[in-house]
Amino acid sequence: MEAGMGRSLPEAADAVPFTPSGDSRRVAAIALDRTLTGGINSGNNSGDQGLLVVVEPRDRAGRALDAPADLSIAVLDPALKDTDGKALRIARWDFTAAETAAMFRRAGAGRAIHLATAWPGDPPKHNKLHLFVRYVTADGRKLDANQPIEVALPGEQTAGWTPGDSNARTSDSTPYMATRSDESQLRRPVWSPERR
């Protein structure tokens, strides 16, 4: 199962919105967070209702920059071919720099754009897809990243995350992190010389 498949929650618990101040002209590359990028589920349905795409703009030294820019996301289904035999595009989303600025999140030392998107129409027919992201800097450079992803289809169970209490959501639309209902059953491991 690919990282990110079937999550019911689009962000880590400590992902906090902030106002970015960086300049996209300083961005040398973008990277996709392979752990967080993938299918998302509202928690009350089988199958994924969309994607979370976490994009990290980086400078020449590989450091994360909080630099908004125009962004395009496309999802292709390699199992479906167009008339030229190329993988068929099943979804596309375009965001302006102003929109991506509102989607920056800070989690620990990381800063990234967290784009939670619903499928534009019917969900995909196949679970193995390919994601492409294009980031266009203020000086016109086009920076690309891509990766294979796997999503849960309608009727399939997700990877086991469960939604938290709906009352725990904040009043704004900031995504939240679920809490485990079996916290009381968790125990600290005990060291033993016979433990294997």
Side-chain angles (χ1 to χ4, degrees):
M1 185 179 296
E2 291 289 322
M5 178 182 167
R7 288 169 296 107
S8 58
L9 305 163
E11 296 186 296
D14 59 350
V16 178
F18 71 97
T19 303
S21 60
D23 184 345
S24 66
R25 290 173 288 202
R26 293 186 50 222
V27 176
I30 59 169
L32 298 174
D33 183 315
R34 293 185 182 276
T35 304
L36 293 176
T37 296
I40 53 174
N41 182 287
S42 65
N44 56 4
N45 296 306
S46 65
D48 291 328
Q49 281 79 52
L51 292 177
L52 173 68
V53 181
V54 179
V55 182
E56 302 169 345
R58 296 182 178 174
D59 66 12
R60 292 194 187 284
R63 294 178 298 240
L65 295 174
D66 55 334
D70 291 350
L71 244 162
S72 293
I73 299 170
V75 179
L76 277 61
D77 184 341
L80 298 175
K81 306 292 182 190
D82 66 11
T83 54
D84 296 327
K86 296 180 182 174
L88 191 65
R89 185 176 74 200
I90 60 168
R92 180 178 171 136
W93 300 273
D94 295 298
F95 301 92
T96 65
E99 290 170 324
T100 61
M103 297 175 198
F104 264 89
R105 301 290 182 268
R106 180 176 287 122
R111 297 173 291 185
I113 305 165
H114 288 226
L115 303 162
T117 60
W119 297 121
D122 292 333
K125 292 181 174 33
H126 303 100
N127 65 344
K128 293 183 188 302
L129 307 172
H130 206 96
L131 172 71
F132 293 86
V133 177
R134 173 165 283 172
Y135 176 100
V136 182
T137 64
D139 55 358
R141 289 175 295 118
K142 296 175 181 172
L143 307 175
D144 298 320
N146 71 85
Q147 75 177 48
I149 57 172
E150 189 172 338
V151 297
L153 299 176
E156 293 180 350
Q157 292 300 315
T158 59
W161 287 82
T162 55
D165 180 359
S166 60
N167 296 328
R169 294 183 193 219
T170 57
S171 59
D172 63 10
S173 60
T174 305
Y176 68 102
M177 181 58 142
T179 56
R180 291 181 58 155
S181 59
D182 60 345
E183 289 277 335
S184 62
Q185 297 175 3
L186 297 177
R187 296 183 188 180
R188 172 170 266 157
V190 177
W191 183 85
S192 168
E194 286 107 31
R195 188 172 170 187
R196 297 175 199 254

mmCIF file of all heavy atoms in Angstrom, residues 7-12 36 40-41 51-52 54 114 116 175-176:
data_model
loop_
_atom_site.group_PDB
_atom_site.id
_atom_site.type_symbol
_atom_site.label_atom_id
_atom_site.label_comp_id
_atom_site.label_asym_id
_atom_site.label_seq_id
_atom_site.Cartn_x
_atom_site.Cartn_y
_atom_site.Cartn_z
ATOM 1 N N ARG A 7 -6.219 7.774 4.095
ATOM 2 C CA ARG A 7 -6.252 8.543 5.327
ATOM 3 C C ARG A 7 -7.563 9.287 5.423
ATOM 4 O O ARG A 7 -8.055 9.823 4.446
ATOM 5 C CB ARG A 7 -5.092 9.547 5.373
ATOM 6 C CG ARG A 7 -3.773 8.864 5.594
ATOM 7 C CD ARG A 7 -2.599 9.782 5.378
ATOM 8 N NE ARG A 7 -2.571 10.187 3.988
ATOM 9 C CZ ARG A 7 -2.893 11.402 3.574
ATOM 10 N NH1 ARG A 7 -3.211 12.324 4.399
ATOM 11 N NH2 ARG A 7 -2.859 11.707 2.307
ATOM 12 N N SER A 8 -8.132 9.336 6.616
ATOM 13 C CA SER A 8 -9.369 10.093 6.784
ATOM 14 C C SER A 8 -9.074 11.526 7.172
ATOM 15 O O SER A 8 -9.966 12.325 7.301
ATOM 16 C CB SER A 8 -10.245 9.437 7.850
ATOM 17 O OG SER A 8 -9.557 9.361 9.065
ATOM 18 N N LEU A 9 -7.811 11.840 7.357
ATOM 19 C CA LEU A 9 -7.438 13.163 7.829
ATOM 20 C C LEU A 9 -6.362 13.747 6.943
ATOM 21 O O LEU A 9 -5.368 13.110 6.669
ATOM 22 C CB LEU A 9 -6.907 13.050 9.255
ATOM 23 C CG LEU A 9 -7.918 12.372 10.159
ATOM 24 C CD1 LEU A 9 -7.258 11.897 11.402
ATOM 25 C CD2 LEU A 9 -9.045 13.310 10.440
ATOM 26 N N PRO A 10 -6.535 14.980 6.484
ATOM 27 C CA PRO A 10 -5.597 15.528 5.539
ATOM 28 C C PRO A 10 -4.318 16.101 6.100
ATOM 29 O O PRO A 10 -3.451 16.454 5.340
ATOM 30 C CB PRO A 10 -6.397 16.609 4.826
ATOM 31 C CG PRO A 10 -7.505 16.939 5.720
ATOM 32 C CD PRO A 10 -7.744 15.755 6.592
ATOM 33 N N GLU A 11 -4.160 16.213 7.409
ATOM 34 C CA GLU A 11 -2.934 16.813 7.906
ATOM 35 C C GLU A 11 -2.492 16.178 9.205
ATOM 36 O O GLU A 11 -3.255 15.522 9.884
ATOM 37 C CB GLU A 11 -3.119 18.308 8.159
ATOM 38 C CG GLU A 11 -3.410 19.060 6.908
ATOM 39 C CD GLU A 11 -3.445 20.534 7.164
ATOM 40 O OE1 GLU A 11 -4.299 20.989 7.910
ATOM 41 O OE2 GLU A 11 -2.592 21.221 6.605
ATOM 42 N N ALA A 12 -1.247 16.393 9.539
ATOM 43 C CA ALA A 12 -0.737 15.955 10.826
ATOM 44 C C ALA A 12 -1.355 16.813 11.916
ATOM 45 O O ALA A 12 -1.812 17.919 11.686
ATOM 46 C CB ALA A 12 0.786 16.092 10.839
ATOM 47 N N LEU A 36 2.673 12.092 3.435
ATOM 48 C CA LEU A 36 1.355 12.707 3.543
ATOM 49 C C LEU A 36 0.573 12.734 2.235
ATOM 50 O O LEU A 36 -0.657 12.760 2.251
ATOM 51 C CB LEU A 36 1.486 14.137 4.072
ATOM 52 C CG LEU A 36 1.981 14.267 5.508
ATOM 53 C CD1 LEU A 36 2.156 15.738 5.881
ATOM 54 C CD2 LEU A 36 1.033 13.587 6.468
ATOM 55 N N ILE A 40 -7.434 10.771 0.521
ATOM 56 C CA ILE A 40 -8.035 11.161 1.797
ATOM 57 C C ILE A 40 -9.497 10.754 1.808
ATOM 58 O O ILE A 40 -10.138 10.651 0.770
ATOM 59 C CB ILE A 40 -7.889 12.674 2.106
ATOM 60 C CG1 ILE A 40 -8.405 13.528 0.957
ATOM 61 C CG2 ILE A 40 -6.464 13.015 2.467
ATOM 62 C CD1 ILE A 40 -8.415 15.022 1.253
ATOM 63 N N ASN A 41 -9.994 10.522 3.003
ATOM 64 C CA ASN A 41 -11.345 10.036 3.194
ATOM 65 C C ASN A 41 -12.001 10.846 4.281
ATOM 66 O O ASN A 41 -11.371 11.186 5.276
ATOM 67 C CB ASN A 41 -11.273 8.554 3.582
ATOM 68 C CG ASN A 41 -12.632 7.937 3.745
ATOM 69 O OD1 ASN A 41 -13.326 8.211 4.707
ATOM 70 N ND2 ASN A 41 -13.007 7.089 2.812
ATOM 71 N N LEU A 51 -7.757 13.811 -2.746
ATOM 72 C CA LEU A 51 -6.320 13.701 -2.489
ATOM 73 C C LEU A 51 -5.851 14.802 -1.564
ATOM 74 O O LEU A 51 -6.402 15.903 -1.568
ATOM 75 C CB LEU A 51 -5.525 13.860 -3.796
ATOM 76 C CG LEU A 51 -5.624 12.793 -4.859
ATOM 77 C CD1 LEU A 51 -4.805 13.204 -6.072
ATOM 78 C CD2 LEU A 51 -5.155 11.461 -4.331
ATOM 79 N N LEU A 52 -4.802 14.495 -0.816
ATOM 80 C CA LEU A 52 -4.019 15.511 -0.140
ATOM 81 C C LEU A 52 -2.676 15.523 -0.852
ATOM 82 O O LEU A 52 -2.037 14.473 -0.990
ATOM 83 C CB LEU A 52 -3.811 15.207 1.341
ATOM 84 C CG LEU A 52 -2.851 16.172 2.044
ATOM 85 C CD1 LEU A 52 -3.452 17.564 2.140
ATOM 86 C CD2 LEU A 52 -2.489 15.670 3.419
ATOM 87 N N VAL A 54 0.953 17.398 -0.648
ATOM 88 C CA VAL A 54 1.800 18.255 0.182
ATOM 89 C C VAL A 54 3.055 18.584 -0.611
ATOM 90 O O VAL A 54 3.858 17.700 -0.917
ATOM 91 C CB VAL A 54 2.135 17.585 1.529
ATOM 92 C CG1 VAL A 54 3.035 18.486 2.364
ATOM 93 C CG2 VAL A 54 0.847 17.271 2.281
ATOM 94 N N HIS A 114 -0.307 22.477 1.740
ATOM 95 C CA HIS A 114 -1.177 21.313 1.935
ATOM 96 C C HIS A 114 -2.454 21.528 1.127
ATOM 97 O O HIS A 114 -3.316 22.308 1.521
ATOM 98 C CB HIS A 114 -1.529 21.156 3.415
ATOM 99 C CG HIS A 114 -0.389 20.690 4.253
ATOM 100 N ND1 HIS A 114 -0.515 19.695 5.188
ATOM 101 C CD2 HIS A 114 0.909 21.068 4.301
ATOM 102 C CE1 HIS A 114 0.647 19.495 5.774
ATOM 103 N NE2 HIS A 114 1.528 20.323 5.255
ATOM 104 N N ALA A 116 -5.756 19.977 -0.070
ATOM 105 C CA ALA A 116 -6.760 18.926 0.059
ATOM 106 C C ALA A 116 -7.804 19.159 -1.027
ATOM 107 O O ALA A 116 -8.426 20.210 -1.082
ATOM 108 C CB ALA A 116 -7.398 18.967 1.443
ATOM 109 N N PRO A 175 -8.233 21.522 8.818
ATOM 110 C CA PRO A 175 -8.374 20.095 9.078
ATOM 111 C C PRO A 175 -7.866 19.752 10.479
ATOM 112 O O PRO A 175 -7.060 20.443 11.051
ATOM 113 C CB PRO A 175 -7.492 19.462 7.994
ATOM 114 C CG PRO A 175 -7.439 20.472 6.924
ATOM 115 C CD PRO A 175 -7.464 21.804 7.633
ATOM 116 N N TYR A 176 -8.368 18.656 10.998
ATOM 117 C CA TYR A 176 -8.027 18.252 12.350
ATOM 118 C C TYR A 176 -7.444 16.850 12.334
ATOM 119 O O TYR A 176 -7.512 16.150 11.348
ATOM 120 C CB TYR A 176 -9.276 18.300 13.232
ATOM 121 C CG TYR A 176 -10.276 17.248 12.838
ATOM 122 C CD1 TYR A 176 -10.396 16.091 13.584
ATOM 123 C CD2 TYR A 176 -11.063 17.387 11.705
ATOM 124 C CE1 TYR A 176 -11.282 15.106 13.215
ATOM 125 C CE2 TYR A 176 -11.948 16.403 11.335
ATOM 126 C CZ TYR A 176 -12.059 15.267 12.092
ATOM 127 O OH TYR A 176 -12.920 14.290 11.723
#
